[in-house]
Amino acid sequence: MGGEHSYLWPAIIPLADRYHFVLYDQRGSLRSPAPDSTISLQRFVSDLEDLRRELGQERLTIFAHSMGSRLAYTYLRKHPEHVRRLALAGPLVPTGSPLGDKRKMRKVRKQFVQWAKKREKAEITEEGLGRDSLSDREKTARWRIGFAAGNICHVERWHQMEGGRAFYNGDIPKLINQNTPDSLRANQFETLRTSEVPVRMIIGDHDLADFGLVSWPAVADTLENVEITTLEVITRGLTGPGSFAMQSAVHCTHPRNSKSDITLYCSRRRAVAISKDWRLPCPHRTF
């Protein structure tokens, strides 16, 4: 969490002729500053529920990406009557899973960091940004390369990413853990297991959420309402399979000729509401 949303646009824009997008800043982002004491899952859920009411939608299809899955799980737990379905792209393994090997996951996350750092170092060297003395513009470029190394399939396309360090708040995960009661974060697996809401998830084998897919396939097998698709990519890629994966998550959640309510997309830092049927005066509307 803490990232800015624009790197996801290449995956979302191709859907603009079929869906309407409503974006809002989640509290604590640099566009919507909030006191540190209010950065918690319970407040994120409350904000999402306020948005649902404001939009006048009875039920939501929640498309959650990466850390946004934590919000999706928690909203489903608190407001199951308002969830039509979940579409998860690169989601975190739910807490409380009997098949989630924490020791193995810590090991593969360390492997992910090593893999990403290797990509970052190679690209920084290629761009001649390995020296200590850098201009502000060069520092931003170097930061983007580091962000790209762990977030997109082709790190050499880092220059296509918008924003920079000013749009990244690395304190958000820590604040969420600090301000969210353990009881609210616990046993997300049970929420999915007991819910009748259909869940479609797509995850790449190079995602930080489950690098190497050591947990999710086995976890999904124990959840009757969860359908999983695995790909040899990072699901948050700018273009190519990663971008396709995120688009597929939305399409697979809305069967052809089915009537859908609004779909709310929860990214790492942003949320996008998507609707087939909801009439808006323009393709993109920002609150």
Side-chain angles (χ1 to χ4, degrees):
M1 298 186 78
E4 194 258 347
H5 79 285
S6 59
Y7 72 101
L8 298 172
W9 273 117
I12 296 172
I13 288 177
L15 304 176
D17 61 339
R18 305 180 190 183
Y19 304 93
H20 292 291
F21 296 80
V22 181
L23 287 79
Y24 75 94
D25 285 332
Q26 293 177 0
R27 64 174 57 240
S29 72
L30 296 184
R31 291 191 177 97
S32 291
D36 287 354
S37 60
T38 69
I39 307 302
S40 64
L41 275 179
Q42 59 268 33
R43 292 300 293 267
F44 283 178
V45 168
S46 177
D47 291 341
L48 177 50
E49 176 62 5
D50 287 344
L51 178 59
R52 182 197 64 80
R53 292 174 179 172
E54 181 68 22
L55 295 174
Q57 298 294 318
E58 183 60 29
R59 291 194 294 172
L60 305 172
T61 294
I62 300 179
F63 173 32
H65 171 228
S66 189
M67 284 291 292
S69 61
R70 291 287 191 237
L71 173 54
Y73 303 149
T74 310
Y75 186 84
L76 175 62
R77 177 180 175 180
K78 301 292 286 186
H79 301 285
E81 72 280 8
H82 294 311
V83 181
R84 177 181 292 272
R85 56 178 67 86
L86 297 182
L88 309 176
L92 301 186
V93 176
T95 59
S97 169
L99 298 175
D101 189 327
K102 292 183 178 179
R103 185 174 63 177
K104 184 181 293 185
M105 291 192 69
R106 283 195 295 267
K107 180 179 179 180
V108 297
R109 284 180 179 175
K110 183 181 293 186
Q111 292 173 345
F112 172 88
V113 171
Q114 294 171 344
W115 171 76
K117 287 293 184 182
K118 182 178 179 180
R119 283 159 39 99
E120 177 184 2
K121 182 178 180 180
E123 189 64 21
I124 286 175
T125 300
E126 178 69 20
E127 294 292 334
L129 297 173
R131 62 189 188 278
D132 294 332
S133 180
L134 297 174
S135 67
D136 289 343
R137 184 180 295 275
E138 288 173 329
K139 289 178 182 178
T140 294
R142 183 165 174 165
W143 182 89
R144 286 179 180 170
I145 291 173
F147 189 73
N151 285 281
I152 64 175
C153 298
H154 301 282
V155 66
E156 68 274 11
R157 296 177 182 170
W158 63 268
H159 58 277
Q160 298 179 24
M161 303 179 72
E162 299 180 11
R165 298 178 70 179
F167 294 103
Y168 183 79
N169 188 346
D171 293 333
I172 297 300
K174 179 183 68 175
L175 292 171
I176 288 178
N177 289 333
Q178 175 181 307
N179 298 328
T180 301
D182 291 341
S183 60
L184 193 60
R185 289 184 288 151
N187 216 350
Q188 296 161 345
F189 175 84
E190 187 67 12
T191 296
L192 294 176
R193 189 188 68 81
T194 57
S195 173
E196 296 182 358
V197 170
V199 180
R200 174 63 185 264
M201 64 164 292
I202 297 179
I203 187 168
D205 65 354
H206 281 63
D207 275 328
L208 171 61
D210 189 16
F211 191 63
L213 298 175
V214 299
S215 295
W216 254 123
V219 171
D221 281 345
T222 65
L223 298 169
E224 293 184 2
N225 60 331
V226 173
E227 182 177 351
I228 182 174
T229 297
T230 60
L231 300 173
E232 295 181 357
V233 296
I234 304 175
T235 54
R236 57 178 71 96
L238 278 170
T239 58
S243 177
F244 171 76
M246 297 188 69
Q247 296 171 33
S248 298
V250 176
H251 284 299
C252 293
T253 311
H254 293 282
R256 183 174 296 179
N257 298 325
S258 69
K259 185 175 181 180
S260 67
D261 283 342
I262 196 167
T263 301
L264 191 81
Y265 169 72
C266 303
S267 74
R268 299 175 69 185
R269 292 294 306 133
R270 304 276 291 190
V272 181
I274 311 168
S275 173
K276 282 183 179 178
D277 309 309
W278 188 36
R279 298 289 185 247
L280 290 178
C282 58
H284 305 281
R285 175 181 172 187
T286 302
F287 282 86

